[in-house]
Amino acid sequence: KGDILDDYLRTDGVWLLTRNKQVYNTNNEKECAEKCEAERNFNCRAFLFTRKKLQCLTLAENTKMTVTFDSVDVVLYEKKIIHLKNTPMQGWKKTTAEILMGMNVDPGVTQQILLPDLITVTSQSVRARSRTLEKNLQWNACSVMVKTTMENFPEQSLGFSASTGMPKSLICMDLPQNTMHLPVSGLGSQCLSGKGENYRGRIAVTESGKACQPWNTQFPHKHGWIPDRYPCKGLEENYCRNPDGEKRPWCYTINGNVRWEYCAIPHCDGPEQGIADVPVQVPLPEECYQGRGQSYRGTASITASGKKCQAWNSMFPHRHEKTPDRFPDADLRDNYCRNPDGDESPWCFTTDPNVTWEYCNLKRCDDHTQKPAPNDPPATTAQNSDLSTPTTSDCINGNGKDYRGTVAKTARGRTCQEWSSQKPHSHKYFTPVTHPGAGLDKNFCRNPDGDVNGVWCFTTDPEKKWEYCEIPRCSSSEHDCGKVSTRSERAC
Amino acid sequence: MCNASPGSWPWHISLRMSNNMHHCAGTLIHPQWVLTAAQCLQRPTEPSAYRVFLGIQNLIASEPSLQIRSVQKVLKEPSGADIALLKLNSPVTINDHVKPVCLPETSLMVGRNAVCFLTAWGKKRGTDTDNRLKDVEFPVLENRICNRPEFLNGSVKNNEFCGGFTFGSIGNCEAEAGGPLVCKDKDRFVQYGVTSWGLDCTQPSKPVFVRIPSFVSWIKNAMAAH
């Protein structure tokens, strides 16, 4: 029986901050691990042990997500295999009896073959039941962990001849439930199957567009997933992987404030099996741009075919030169759709390694708003003229003369009449033509005459010509902010 | 920390998940905008997953001053600082219980002798909280002190700061992410920090805040653009 600490990744000198934790006093790390195993208050995924104070902190789920910082006296232990609540698993370090062989004989044809009875391993021998499959296996160089876990199995007892190309140390025992995982061709799975533990693709960006930190570095995040220690996990470069049984592949990010995130990996069951992007139901575009969208500053980050955008400051999966520092005026933030180079419409590099870039899932504002007059200047030349949403807010400053929001009901609930309409009330004077700078769009509440009581509109009620609208003031943040009516008695 | 008097911190909000479970804190900085910590919005990412509860003094009690808004838009600080803006689906009604806090007018940090307060729901480790909003006077420390080996040992960045007392500890001080550190400026309170991360309360000079004066331009520009 192995050491209880074998189930954990050890990282020295890292304090990991989590909200959900429990504090114990234990004499050593093993006792702390036992506390973690026995934790009833939450699903213990890691623990911290302070060597001077002999303090033991068991930590709850999602430990990778939390902030870490250096702390000399502490040792962090993170569980290697995450036992998700709905899929309880037993540890693998019991009597070896049966092997599941996960292999990728011919990528694109067979992603994974799980044959529980293909090979049987006992402490004395290994018997292969299928010779034909053996020939197709391509073995990786793999194995520090195997040497230790398989030391009881003599090379000759493995039942494979030298002609299979399988060196002594190539069996990785890294899955739970007495499962052995035979490493396979270097390609591995290029798409997401199950929880993606077998994923060996090259996506290296998280689902929110953050670039991944290389597994063999400890900056900005210290961690215990060191490639040399876990050769079977495919921890190459900074590619998304799932070495610990998470829900799907993930990576530590190069953002110091976000320790890790999941990656968006295309599913294997997509129409173009193996390499295709997942078919995504592309939502109807919510935002719009004007002109060519060069000053679009919205937050859309999905392409027209439903792919996620790559962050502009990231070079994964696509290297490019459209970086925020080279286009300082283009607002190349996060992975938002932009048009830094005068293309036809906002676009982005995609997180799909096979598709470099695409136009975004945005519509032209002209499609649903009134067309600009023929002599209007092109939107792209006017500062702020093609923001995704009008530069309006639903609150008013002063008497609301500058209000350009979209409230179109009066304080008494009557619907406003369109400013350009003369029905039911004929007014003639307050029209978009007579007051071109007053924002008399549609039937929105406005204050074209500077009424001291605020914004108003003609109503669609024939009995009521006009009424004020009730729109909250936004002045509070500037003029009335930070004042409290109640002062607390602070005795302590 | 002491229980706060009703209405004494009218900008302190409770950020909740769609099932109404308290998730993080935040502050009202405009009738339609809330400032919180970006770490509170990592997952889920959809704005519709969050709701903002304003005007409350107690996380679970029913209070007449309660206003609830859903979140229309989430804007995270682009360089990765632990702050984010939430645009509410509609402006709140400003009153004595719901009121925005002021933001610093310059990029300068608060003066050395300023009177500052940390407000939080006062989760106490290992026990059930009484769910009431709490406050504590909380001095701001210079980063050269925060970064001393015996405190935070160099881990406080330039756009962060720490606070608290350099000796002893503050009971129940486990502040929650997204909440504010506000400082008195004449008759107003100005927010200088967003609670970001921190050690346990047994450690002095914690937690660490995002330095708001460094991000005022971003906040104003983001609100104007959206």
Side-chain angles (χ1 to χ4, degrees):
Chain A
K1 191 169 182 177
D3 191 317
I4 189 170
L5 295 177
D6 290 345
D7 289 350
Y8 293 85
L9 284 168
R10 174 187 169 129
T11 314
D12 285 294
V14 172
W15 189 288
L16 195 135
L17 299 166
T18 64
R19 295 171 166 218
N20 223 349
K21 55 183 171 282
Q22 202 71 38
V23 185
Y24 302 98
N25 287 320
T26 61
N27 294 313
N28 53 47
E29 288 104 316
K30 282 186 184 177
E31 285 183 22
C32 192
E34 285 164 7
K35 294 286 185 191
C36 183
E37 297 294 331
E39 188 58 70
R40 298 277 177 231
N41 298 320
F42 46 76
N43 192 10
C44 181
R45 304 254 297 250
F47 66 86
L48 291 167
F49 183 74
T50 57
R51 284 170 287 208
K52 277 185 193 158
K53 294 181 182 174
L54 300 181
Q55 253 187 344
C56 165
L57 275 78
T58 58
L59 310 177
E61 298 176 36
N62 292 326
T63 53
K64 285 196 294 297
M65 207 165 78
T66 54
V67 178
T68 62
F69 61 91
D70 297 344
S71 181
V72 178
D73 186 42
V74 75
V75 190
L76 167 69
Y77 285 89
E78 292 174 280
K79 275 194 178 170
K80 289 175 186 169
I81 300 293
I82 293 164
H83 295 196
L84 296 175
K85 278 177 182 167
N86 56 356
T87 54
M89 293 176 176
Q90 295 173 351
W92 46 259
K93 55 181 183 303
K94 295 176 184 171
T95 321
T96 304
E98 195 175 53
I99 293 177
L100 289 181
M101 190 164 75
M103 61 185 150
N104 195 343
V105 177
D106 185 0
V109 176
T110 309
Q111 287 301 330
Q112 190 178 41
I113 301 173
L114 292 175
L115 298 172
D117 61 347
L118 178 65
I119 299 177
T120 304
V121 175
T122 69
S123 58
Q124 299 303 315
S125 67
V126 176
R127 287 181 292 110
R129 291 178 59 172
S130 168
R131 294 283 171 184
T132 51
L133 278 174
E134 273 175 41
K135 291 177 186 171
N136 295 323
L137 298 175
Q138 296 174 42
W139 306 105
N140 273 343
C142 170
S143 251
V144 177
M145 187 164 65
V146 176
K147 283 178 183 165
T148 57
T149 56
M150 292 298 290
E151 60 192 5
N152 293 327
F153 302 109
E155 183 182 8
Q156 60 274 23
S157 74
L158 291 175
F160 293 97
S161 68
S163 61
T164 61
M166 188 182 80
K168 176 181 179 181
S169 59
L170 281 185
I171 291 179
C172 301
M173 193 165 181
D174 61 358
L175 290 176
Q177 288 186 320
N178 307 324
T179 295
M180 282 189 181
H181 192 171
L182 302 188
V184 290
S185 93
L187 286 174
S189 174
Q190 300 294 296
C191 52
L192 187 65
S193 168
K195 291 191 290 183
E197 285 150 318
N198 204 28
Y199 172 72
R200 295 295 181 268
R202 300 176 65 186
I203 291 177
V205 65
T206 71
E207 58 191 5
S208 74
K210 293 181 182 63
C212 294
Q213 170 182 327
W215 295 98
N216 64 359
T217 67
Q218 295 290 314
F219 184 81
H221 305 289
K222 280 191 173 182
H223 63 90
W225 287 112
I226 296 163
D228 289 347
R229 287 192 205 159
Y230 302 96
C232 305
K233 302 289 188 183
L235 304 178
E236 312 152 86
E237 304 284 337
N238 61 341
Y239 304 142
C240 300
R241 292 291 182 260
N242 186 2
D244 56 352
E246 266 288 354
K247 291 175 188 168
R248 56 184 192 276
W250 56 274
C251 68
Y252 297 103
T253 84
I254 60 169
N255 181 326
N257 295 317
V258 180
R259 192 160 187 242
W260 72 283
E261 268 185 351
Y262 290 118
C263 302
I265 310 292
H267 265 285
C268 294
D269 53 8
E272 297 168 52
Q273 191 160 357
I275 54 169
D277 198 0
V278 196
V280 181
Q281 190 174 358
V282 185
L284 287 173
E286 290 180 0
E287 297 184 66
C288 65
Y289 63 93
Q290 287 185 342
R292 290 171 178 256
Q294 283 168 293
S295 52
Y296 167 76
R297 296 294 180 265
T299 56
S301 58
I302 300 289
T303 71
S305 73
K307 292 180 172 57
K308 273 185 185 279
C309 293
Q310 172 182 326
W312 295 99
N313 62 2
S314 163
M315 293 296 131
F316 301 101
H318 306 289
R319 295 195 70 81
H320 62 88
E321 295 183 340
K322 301 289 187 296
T323 54
D325 53 330
R326 290 189 187 191
F327 294 83
D329 299 329
D331 191 36
L332 300 181
R333 281 181 295 144
D334 285 352
N335 63 340
Y336 301 149
C337 298
R338 293 288 182 265
N339 185 3
D341 53 358
D343 206 329
E344 287 180 12
S345 69
W347 59 276
C348 67
F349 296 104
T350 85
T351 53
D352 181 344
N354 300 310
V355 181
T356 309
W357 69 274
E358 275 186 343
Y359 291 115
C360 284
N361 184 35
L362 291 165
K363 59 189 174 186
R364 283 177 68 97
C365 300
D366 314 35
D367 295 342
H368 68 105
T369 57
Q370 58 192 40
K371 296 265 182 197
N375 57 353
D376 278 354
T380 50
T381 61
Q383 186 69 24
N384 290 331
S385 60
D386 60 351
L387 297 178
S388 60
T389 49
T391 51
T392 59
S393 59
D394 285 310
C395 55
I396 58 169
N397 289 304
N399 63 5
K401 196 165 183 182
D402 297 327
Y403 174 71
R404 295 294 182 270
T406 54
V407 173
K409 272 198 182 342
T410 71
R412 300 198 169 202
R414 291 185 173 90
T415 301
C416 295
Q417 171 183 322
E418 295 219 1
W419 294 99
S420 56
S421 167
Q422 299 298 317
K423 289 180 181 177
H425 303 290
S426 174
H427 51 90
K428 302 238 168 87
Y429 186 67
F430 294 106
T431 70
V433 176
T434 61
H435 290 74
L440 301 183
D441 305 319
K442 297 190 174 180
N443 62 340
F444 302 143
C445 298
R446 293 290 184 263
N447 192 357
D449 57 348
D451 190 319
V452 291
N453 292 316
V455 293
W456 58 275
C457 66
F458 296 107
T459 85
T460 52
D461 180 351
E463 303 295 315
K464 189 73 184 172
K465 188 164 187 180
W466 67 274
E467 263 182 349
Y468 290 112
C469 303
E470 189 174 61
I471 295 168
R473 297 195 169 276
C474 19
S475 56
S476 347
S477 60
E478 292 165 12
H479 307 296
D480 197 27
C481 63
K483 283 189 173 178
V484 290
S485 56
T486 310
R487 294 301 310 122
S488 54
E489 296 295 325
R490 289 189 183 81
C492 53
Chain B
M1 300 181 86
C2 308
N3 286 328
S5 304
S8 53
W9 309 111
W11 41 81
H12 196 113
I13 64 99
S14 164
L15 178 64
R16 306 198 176 192
M17 309 303 282
S18 50
N19 61 4
N20 288 344
M21 277 190 61
H22 175 72
H23 176 59
C24 270
T27 49
L28 187 71
I29 57 169
H30 175 278
Q32 204 169 358
W33 289 91
V34 160
L35 184 64
T36 185
Q39 62 175 279
C40 300
L41 306 162
Q42 284 190 331
R43 266 202 312 275
T45 52
E46 302 79 29
S48 59
Y50 300 97
R51 303 174 82 190
V52 174
F53 281 48
L54 308 101
I56 55 171
Q57 205 71 22
N58 190 309
L59 284 174
I60 55 173
S62 172
E63 294 173 75
S65 52
L66 169 67
Q67 295 186 46
I68 302 175
R69 294 290 183 278
S70 49
V71 175
Q72 185 185 97
K73 200 169 276 187
V74 170
L75 303 175
K76 292 185 185 174
E77 200 283 322
S79 68
D82 191 17
I83 55 169
L85 286 166
L86 305 176
K87 186 176 185 184
L88 307 180
N89 66 327
S90 64
V92 296
T93 302
I94 303 301
N95 56 38
D96 285 347
H97 295 275
V98 177
K99 190 176 287 187
V101 69
C102 300
L103 292 176
E105 290 178 358
T106 69
S107 59
L108 296 177
M109 194 53 191
V110 68
R112 183 176 293 184
N113 297 319
V115 178
C116 301
F117 296 90
L118 172 63
T119 56
W121 298 103
K123 297 282 187 187
K124 186 177 179 181
R125 187 176 59 219
T127 61
D128 286 333
T129 172
D130 65 1
N131 293 303
R132 290 175 65 180
L133 185 62
K134 295 174 173 59
D135 58 40
V136 66
E137 190 171 338
F138 209 77
V140 169
L141 296 175
E142 294 172 53
N143 279 20
R144 66 180 172 81
I145 297 175
C146 304
N147 280 324
R148 280 182 190 166
E150 64 269 33
F151 297 143
L152 287 159
N153 194 22
S155 53
V156 180
K157 299 174 202 159
N158 288 338
N159 59 10
E160 296 173 334
F161 65 91
C162 81
F165 298 92
T166 52
F167 53 88
S169 64
I170 298 171
N172 303 354
C173 71
E174 198 157 357
E176 63 207 320
L181 182 119
V182 296
C183 303
K184 196 88 187 285
D185 179 14
K186 297 175 187 160
D187 59 342
R188 297 174 190 275
F189 283 98
V190 180
Q191 183 173 0
Y192 278 90
V194 168
T195 305
S196 180
W197 55 274
L199 286 177
D200 292 321
C201 294
T202 51
Q203 311 262 352
S205 308
K206 323 299 183 308
V208 172
F209 304 88
V210 175
R211 191 181 286 260
I212 294 302
S214 305
F215 298 102
V216 170
S217 300
W218 171 73
I219 292 170
K220 290 188 173 173
N221 291 339
M223 285 166 53
H226 295 275

